[in-house]
Each structure stands twice: as C-alpha cells, then as structure tokens.
Amino acid sequence: MNHKIRMEILNRFRRRDTYSSNTDLCVNSNFELLISTVLSTRSRNSLVNLVTEDLYRAANNANKMISLGSKKIKKIIEKIGLSRVKSKNILNICQILIQKYKGNVPNNRKSLEYLPGVGRKVSNVVLNIGFGYSTIAVDTHVFRVCNRTGFAISNSYLKLEKYLLSIVPIRFRRRFHYLFFLHGKVICTYKNPSCSCCFISDLCEYKNKNTTINS
C-alpha cells in the first residue's frame, strides 16, 4: 500500500471519528486505566468494565487497593480469565506505585514495564491515553486490521508497532489505536468481516472480501 492510500484511510477514520473517549474501558484516572488495561489482557473490555465497576467502588487508588487485599480483589474479578495471577499482579503493582511513585502512575515506558503484568501493549495504552504520548499500541484487533487491509504488514507485533510509528504522521497517532481497535472489533472482525459496510473497503487490499450484508 502506498502513502497516498494510507493517508486517505487515516483521513476517513478521522472524518468518522465522533467518539468522545479514547478508550472503551470505563475509567476515571490513570490508576484505573492502568489496572483496567492489565485486566483486559486476554479478556473482553465489556467484561472488564463489569467487574471494575465493583472494584473501583471499593478501591480506586493504590492505597485502597492494598487495603482490599488479594483475596477480595480476586473474588471481585473472578469472572475474568487468569484472575488469580491478575489479582496478585494488581496488588504488587500498587505496592510498587506507593513505594516508588507516591501512589502515582509513572509516565515512562521503562517504569511502566517494570510493573508486574505490564507489557509493551499495556504501557503504550497508558502512555497514549493517560499521558497523551504519540505511541501506538498493537493488540489483536490492530494487528489484524493492519495486516488484512494491507495498511501495514508484519508477522510481529513489535515490528508492526515500529513500522506504524514510521508511516503514521504524529497528528494521527493519538487516536490510531482506539479507532483501529474499534474497526477490528465491530467491522473488520476475525470471522465474517463486514466488508459490505466498511468505509475503507475500496482502499483495502484484502482479496477475500465478504460482500454479504451481515444481519
């Protein structure tokens, strides 16, 4: 795909961008953003929002979360996959935040990725949404949409992220992950993508377009 087509795709996404949020996780602070993004690993955001409504009502900062304790955290989030591991990670994250950052979420990659359960995707989401950095998080949806459409092709999440940073102008990066994530979640789905109602279908290089109108 050439630069001209990529820019047209990005501009179409921008013109259709009417979302008031940068994420579909229900959060009110960088602390909640960090914890929710950790919980969202291998879990649906809708399920994360369901359990964190109770979790943040009980503990919406590091000190309160530690007071809650690992067993209570696990009980609240037990519907989420890997709840035992994630409850321990949350508690350890909170302890580190208090010991090293006065309970605040650090705003640099090295410090974020030092936290248990925080990998590159999570750190990119926090840096981008929480602190406004022009990072691009690559999750399964972004990876699929980029490769399927031909917007950017790579067999590695990290290589794809680095390639996207080289071809996506800074002015588009703040919203890139969220918009491509939503496109993959709603339109360019893993099975039976809705190509017939896709607003970039004419620019997409996918050879096996599904032209059936999904009901």
Side-chain angles (χ1 to χ4, degrees), residues 76-94:
I76 293 173
I77 69 169
E78 62 184 354
K79 293 180 180 179
I80 291 180
L82 304 173
S83 60
R84 179 177 295 181
V85 173
K86 289 178 179 179
S87 62
K88 290 181 178 179
N89 283 342
I90 288 172
L91 204 60
N92 289 331
I93 285 172
C94 292

Side-chain angles (χ1 to χ4, degrees), residues 22 39 41 60 62 64 69 75 87 102 106 115 121 127 133 148-149 158 171 175 182 192 210:
N22 286 315
L39 289 173
T41 302
N60 62 356
K64 290 180 180 178
K75 184 171 179 59
S87 62
K102 299 180 180 179
L115 301 172
K121 189 211 84 171
L127 291 172
Y133 291 2
R148 179 183 281 169
T149 61
L158 180 57
R171 65 183 181 278
R175 303 284 286 173
L182 286 178
N192 301 318
N210 174 28

Side-chain angles (χ1 to χ4, degrees), residues 101 105-114 123 127 131 133:
Y101 307 106
V105 177
N107 65 349
N108 65 85
R109 185 185 303 282
K110 183 178 180 180
S111 297
L112 283 168
E113 293 185 8
Y114 175 78
S123 67
L127 291 172
F131 295 101
Y133 291 2

Side-chain angles (χ1 to χ4, degrees), residues 11-173:
N11 280 313
R12 287 189 190 182
F13 269 98
R14 172 172 280 186
R15 287 195 293 269
R16 294 177 66 91
D17 183 6
T18 59
Y19 305 100
S20 59
S21 175
N22 286 315
T23 177
D24 62 351
L25 291 170
C26 297
V27 297
N28 294 301
S29 67
N30 284 349
F31 174 77
E32 292 183 3
L33 174 63
L34 171 61
I35 300 303
S36 287
T37 309
V38 168
L39 289 173
S40 72
T41 302
R42 297 185 185 179
S43 298
R44 300 190 315 273
N45 285 1
S46 57
L47 182 57
V48 171
N49 289 335
L50 184 65
V51 302
T52 55
E53 183 177 356
D54 291 331
L55 181 64
Y56 298 147
R57 187 182 297 117
N60 62 356
N61 60 50
N63 284 298
K64 290 180 180 178
M65 198 70 75
I66 288 176
S67 297
L68 200 60
S70 181
K71 289 184 178 180
K72 288 185 178 179
I73 294 172
K74 183 181 179 299
K75 184 171 179 59
I76 293 173
I77 69 169
E78 62 184 354
K79 293 180 180 179
I80 291 180
L82 304 173
S83 60
R84 179 177 295 181
V85 173
K86 289 178 179 179
S87 62
K88 290 181 178 179
N89 283 342
I90 288 172
L91 204 60
N92 289 331
I93 285 172
C94 292
Q95 289 170 342
I96 294 171
L97 292 183
I98 291 170
Q99 292 169 1
K100 299 189 69 173
Y101 307 106
K102 299 180 180 179
N104 298 313
V105 177
N107 65 349
N108 65 85
R109 185 185 303 282
K110 183 178 180 180
S111 297
L112 283 168
E113 293 185 8
Y114 175 78
L115 301 172
V118 178
R120 192 170 183 92
K121 189 211 84 171
V122 173
S123 67
N124 276 329
V125 169
V126 173
L127 291 172
N128 181 265
I129 297 171
F131 295 101
Y133 291 2
S134 59
T135 58
I136 295 178
V138 176
D139 58 20
T140 55
H141 293 298
V142 174
F143 187 81
R144 179 176 63 257
V145 172
C146 285
N147 277 283
R148 179 183 281 169
T149 61
F151 185 90
I153 297 173
S154 178
N155 59 4
S156 159
Y157 279 50
L158 180 57
K159 288 180 180 178
L160 180 61
E161 177 197 328
K162 291 182 176 180
Y163 184 45
L164 288 171
L165 289 173
S166 73
I167 62 174
V168 177
I170 291 176
R171 65 183 181 278
F172 292 106
R173 292 181 194 170

